[in-house]
Amino acid sequence: MSLIVQKYGGSSVADAESIKRVAKRIVETRKAGNEVVVVVSAMGDTTDELVDLANQVTPLAAGRELDMLLTAGERISMALLAMAIKSLGQEARSYTGSQAGLITDAKHGSARIVDVSPTRVRAALDAGAIAIVAGFQGFNRGTGDITTLGRGGSDTTAVALAAALNADVCEIYTDVDGVFTADPRVVPAARKIDRITSEEMLELAAAGAKVLYIRAVEYARRHGVTLHVRSSFNNNEGTLVVNPKDGESVEEPIISGVASDLSEAKITIVGVPDVPGKAAQIFTIVASTDANIDMIVQNVSTAATGLTDISFTLPKSDGGTVLKALEDNKAVAGFDSLQYDDQIGKLALVGAGMRTNAGVSAKLFTALFEAGINIEMISTSEIRISVVTRADTINEAVRVVHSAFGLDGDEEAQVYGGTGR
Ligand code: ASP
Ligand code: MG
């Protein structure tokens, strides 16, 4: 008997009909002789609607009460799904995150899982029932309060349960067929990837691929959980995200995919004294805001002035806070001025085979040059090359790079208008 964890995203349980359809699928999995644990997201756009509602009441909603509100979304879908399964004659029991033993730290809105003790879920399975767990939520023992894991956190709930229950596979059901070599809405020739390593998936997720949340992939990688990302609207095989053991050789394509991200901005700090300790000082100020910065580029200083410029990228949503923190500390840090640019796009080319193949950067830069696209920043890791371009050239950049690396498929990718969530 296998233990399968299935996670259904909001688009898969958007209305009563969808819930019934998903229930059938779950019951089939159970009838095939598997133990089944299901993690659900809130129906459709419920979470966004609840956030809007909170904003109408007060723009300052945060913390404990916001988490109380948002976790209601998953409570609705878990109960309805359990009812739908029961009506098909199969035993099902729904559990909130805390009932399922998802213990987190106390950070409301982006809590981290610190312990998973799914005793009641295990007991439900032992009793022959299907266990349905509300995604995206947990419980802090210190405060006794309900927490949420951050937007998209149901993926993490599913992976954490799969790890704790030692599941055979964790299936992530969404409204697209799997992980693609690029966003099919941008690159019609994008292909579904059959198998990808968690290492590559992490880089793609970090670079803007929305189909899986980065924290869920990190968790799966750390705990050796195999993910199967697939559509709940058909029975096609999706994408397996695997964790090859050390030394195990997997045949890896040089390039797995191209991701892009329009959610970042660039801050340039002009006229930074080129003396030891300045970068440390500046990035300590930036770190105090909790912003997640990404690419950093420092220019060569001119001998005449002894001054240099430092640029870095960060989420647009953190732009205001970081600018203010830097401005407030201008005198101490000793720079001249700040520039803010939110019209940038970031492209990342990811592939484990990059490690052992020369010429990948040259090919990337040539493809962009031939398309007349200017590169503003470059950064690399072992298995990724990222570049920043103007926002309005990013889609074209993704298309030419995808094609230059031979990733284009023969047929047009099927797009269901899905969001990948
Ligand atoms: N419902 C939550 C959200 O929309 C969690 C999730 O869907 O994973 O962010
Ligand atoms: Mg959702």
Side-chain angles (χ1 to χ4, degrees):
M1 204 189 244
S2 296
L3 198 163
I4 300 179
V5 174
Q6 301 190 326
K7 179 258 171 177
Y8 290 92
S11 56
S12 296
V13 290
D15 49 34
E17 272 323 300
S18 311
I19 289 175
K20 290 199 232 171
R21 183 175 55 81
V22 162
K24 264 199 209 122
R25 186 170 196 128
I26 295 167
V27 169
E28 276 162 25
T29 312
R30 176 75 189 80
K31 288 214 166 116
N34 304 294
E35 292 185 309
V36 189
V37 176
V38 177
V39 174
V40 264
S41 291
M43 296 170 69
D45 296 327
T46 303
T47 311
D48 289 321
E49 286 158 17
L50 292 173
V51 170
D52 284 349
L53 201 54
N55 282 333
Q56 288 170 40
V57 172
T58 164
L60 298 174
R64 185 181 187 278
E65 303 310 330
L66 190 60
D67 279 358
M68 280 301 227
L69 178 71
L70 297 189
T71 50
E74 270 72 12
R75 221 185 228 247
I76 294 171
S77 49
M78 75 175 195
L80 291 171
L81 188 55
M83 291 173 200
I85 292 173
K86 279 175 182 252
S87 80
L88 295 173
Q90 192 75 45
E91 191 50 38
R93 296 180 195 165
S94 66
Y95 299 98
T96 62
S98 50
Q99 288 176 320
L102 279 126
I103 309 302
T104 71
D105 63 16
K107 198 157 183 253
H108 285 293
S110 59
R112 285 195 172 258
I113 297 171
V114 295
D115 185 27
V116 187
S117 333
T119 332
R120 298 190 68 185
V121 172
R122 188 61 258 177
L125 296 177
D126 291 343
I130 293 166
I132 315 285
V133 178
F136 167 65
Q137 52 181 269
F139 174 77
N140 178 259
R141 285 194 178 119
T143 60
D145 281 330
I146 301 294
T147 54
T148 61
L149 308 178
R151 294 306 304 273
S154 300
D155 288 359
T156 319
T157 305
V159 174
L161 280 171
L165 293 162
N166 208 0
D168 295 281
V169 64
C170 179
E171 298 182 329
I172 306 283
Y173 284 97
T174 176
D175 59 2
V176 294
D177 277 343
V179 181
F180 280 74
T181 51
D183 184 340
R185 285 164 297 183
V186 175
V187 185
R191 282 181 294 114
K192 192 200 81 195
I193 302 171
D194 293 332
R195 194 169 183 277
I196 187 171
T197 63
S198 57
E199 184 189 27
E200 293 165 295
M201 191 62 233
L202 260 187
E203 292 279 9
L204 282 177
K210 291 191 186 55
V211 63
L212 276 178
Y213 274 84
I214 186 159
R215 278 169 71 174
V217 185
E218 269 167 2
Y219 203 105
R221 183 168 168 73
R222 223 174 316 120
H223 293 85
V225 175
T226 303
L227 301 177
H228 186 180
V229 184
R230 57 193 308 193
S231 170
S232 71
F233 295 86
N234 59 45
N235 283 313
N236 301 345
E237 289 289 308
T239 302
L240 281 179
V241 183
V242 298
N243 303 285
K245 299 200 182 52
D246 280 345
E248 183 186 337
S249 77
V250 266
E251 208 179 320
E252 258 145 12
I254 301 177
I255 301 301
S256 298
V258 191
S260 62
D261 190 354
L262 285 168
S263 69
E264 300 241 319
K266 174 171 82 172
I267 290 181
T268 302
I269 309 173
V270 183
V272 180
D274 193 8
V275 293
K278 275 298 148 190
Q281 208 173 16
I282 284 170
F283 287 102
T284 304
I285 298 168
V286 174
S288 71
T289 65
D290 256 354
N292 245 327
I293 60 166
D294 184 27
M295 298 164 94
I296 303 176
V297 174
Q298 174 173 336
N299 291 327
V300 186
S301 63
T302 44
T305 60
L307 296 176
T308 183
D309 297 341
I310 297 179
S311 302
F312 59 92
T313 61
L314 76 176
K316 281 179 191 164
S317 52
D318 289 330
T321 332
V322 173
L323 282 175
K324 176 158 189 319
L326 285 168
E327 203 55 61
D328 288 351
N329 289 284
K330 190 171 166 181
V332 221
F335 57 84
D336 285 340
S337 59
L338 295 172
Q339 284 170 6
Y340 185 68
D341 179 355
D342 60 5
Q343 294 303 310
I344 62 163
K346 220 170 63 183
L347 172 150
L349 183 67
V350 173
M354 253 183 223
R355 279 198 188 97
T356 46
N357 277 274
V360 175
S361 343
K363 196 169 183 174
L364 167 65
F365 302 151
T366 304
L368 293 173
F369 159 67
E370 283 170 359
I373 295 169
N374 189 40
I375 301 171
E376 300 180 18
M377 290 168 100
I378 300 169
S379 85
T380 61
S381 83
E382 251 197 328
I383 64 162
R384 170 185 51 78
I385 307 174
S386 304
V387 298
V388 164
T389 72
R390 284 294 88 203
D392 58 8
T393 61
I394 197 74
N395 286 350
E396 176 66 6
V398 172
R399 280 189 289 270
V400 299
V401 169
H402 192 267
S403 154
F405 282 90
L407 296 174
D408 289 357
D410 301 331
E411 358 172 337
E412 272 211 9
Q414 237 191 310
V415 182
Y416 311 103
T419 58
R421 292 308 310 149

